[in-house]
Amino acid sequence: MAEVPGAVFAAGGLVGGYGVARWTRQRPLGGAVLAVAGAAAARQWHRRAGGPAAGALTAAYAAAFAGSHPLAKKVGAWPAVFSVAGAVALASWAVADRRG
């Protein structure tokens, strides 16, 4: 069975975390989704590209989450979340997933 690419976990964590937080009105629950998906993505990145790449991609994941907040003030919440999710997924593919 093929492994799920880190890009799927990362993009899914950003979109899913926001969606869960918004629809349940429980920000900690959305944060838990974000954290679990981020950990799964980091595991895949480490497996496919090694520790330094996994560290850089994990930092990009956290920066995307943080950066989505000011971006949302300019373009709206969902467009911001989809934008940063796409950026992290692209970085994941470029650095780690295409090797798998």
Side-chain angles (χ1 to χ4, degrees):
M1 180 189 267
E3 290 183 350
V4 176
V8 172
F9 286 119
L14 289 161
V15 173
Y18 175 68
V20 166
R22 181 174 176 131
W23 290 318
T24 64
R25 299 185 192 269
Q26 299 292 318
R27 292 180 77 183
L29 189 57
V33 170
L34 183 79
V36 168
R43 181 173 179 234
Q44 290 297 82
W45 294 328
H46 189 271
R47 182 180 293 168
R48 290 186 179 195
L57 287 168
T58 300
Y61 182 75
F65 168 69
S68 69
H69 293 83
L71 182 60
K73 292 179 181 180
K74 296 179 190 268
V75 299
W78 280 112
V81 170
F82 286 128
S83 295
V84 300
V88 171
L90 181 60
S92 176
W93 177 83
V95 173
D97 295 334
R98 68 181 171 158
R99 297 177 184 203

